[in-house]
Amino acid sequence: MFVGDSMTIGRAGDYTWRYRMWQHLRSTLGDSFSVVGPRDALYDAAADAPVSDAYADPAFPQDARRHLAGWGEGWQHMAPLIGPAVASAEPDVLLVSLGLIDLGFYTDAPQTAVNVRRFIAQARAARPDIRMVLLPVIPNVRADSDAPFAAQVTAFNELLAKAVADLSTPASPILLAARPQGYELGQDTYDGTHPNASGEHRLAAEFASALHQAWSIGGPYRAATV
């Protein structure tokens, strides 16, 4: 199950990093996996709502479009939703990219870290053996120009790493994915925050590497041509 904010749900016309990850898993696992989640739409800017099915690849299968992601939603929004979503869809693994929207609009680093721990507890309450891969907050344009905000991002990423170290267990392991190396705002985003095609591949690659290296799921990431 993909869990995230605007960078994960994507907007109308995007491929999304979810699509890139689905391509990777399909090429390495064949049909031995499924994507689950309560939602499947993209964000539509004109409607200001998640009502679009206009993925850049119209052949992206409907069942592979599933997710739990929302434009403007962060850890504090997903913490109360993850338990019911896990109980209903029964995912084995959560791939989570959250935090930027929290720090930008809702909570500071310590408060956001509390919501991370709430999220993990709720996911485990629904499925005690669930595995998770958490992505730190990645480079973004606001952190480039707003020093106090950049400090909050750094502080949160440190607290996220601590939460992973504190809470990972053999029964329910948690991985901290790497921040994408060489991620350039001018090259890998379309607006300084949201990933373009290059950025989508970079995000998918970090999740793919974590899955492969830690749990032998899939293989090394090889970007598709689109």
Side-chain angles (χ1 to χ4, degrees):
M1 180 186 291
F2 302 106
V3 184
D5 52 26
S6 58
M7 292 185 287
T8 298
I9 186 174
R11 63 176 185 174
D14 285 351
Y15 285 99
T16 75
W17 72 262
R18 297 182 285 108
Y19 171 82
R20 312 298 184 179
M21 192 67 189
W22 167 76
Q23 284 187 309
H24 164 73
L25 292 174
R26 186 184 60 172
S27 70
T28 56
L29 298 177
D31 295 327
S32 64
F33 77 100
S34 59
V35 177
V36 299
R39 306 173 181 176
D40 59 17
L42 296 160
Y43 175 74
D44 186 316
D48 190 23
V51 295
S52 175
D53 63 358
Y55 284 84
D57 182 358
F60 189 17
Q62 193 68 36
D63 58 358
R65 299 179 179 189
R66 295 172 182 159
H67 62 79
L68 177 59
W71 200 276
E73 296 184 61
W75 286 107
Q76 76 164 15
H77 303 87
M78 294 304 177
L81 299 181
I82 193 61
V86 168
S88 175
E90 300 184 330
D92 297 306
V93 180
L94 301 178
L95 303 182
V96 185
S97 172
L98 289 167
L100 178 58
I101 196 74
D102 301 86
L103 300 172
F105 294 95
Y106 304 117
T107 52
D108 62 13
Q111 293 169 320
T112 306
V114 168
N115 289 327
V116 171
R117 292 171 181 259
R118 285 178 55 218
F119 176 100
I120 292 169
Q122 292 300 315
R124 284 176 168 167
R127 184 160 189 154
D129 62 347
I130 197 159
R131 292 180 282 180
M132 308 178 214
V133 184
L134 312 183
L135 185 74
V137 175
I138 63 173
N140 60 88
V141 67
R142 182 171 172 183
D144 266 7
S145 60
D146 183 338
F149 178 73
Q152 285 292 303
V153 169
T154 298
F156 170 72
N157 283 342
E158 291 172 353
L159 291 170
L160 182 66
K162 185 177 188 310
V164 170
D166 289 346
L167 301 177
S168 184
T169 68
S172 175
I174 308 173
L175 303 177
L176 184 66
R179 296 181 89 198
Q181 288 190 348
Y183 196 88
E184 297 289 343
L185 300 186
Q187 173 183 316
D188 297 314
T189 77
Y190 62 77
D191 61 358
T193 298
H194 299 94
N196 57 18
S198 173
E200 290 168 359
H201 281 302
R202 287 183 181 273
L203 296 184
E206 296 304 337
F207 282 106
S209 294
L211 291 176
H212 175 58
Q213 292 171 11
W215 300 328
S216 300
I217 297 175
Y221 187 82
R222 296 182 177 87
T225 56
V226 295

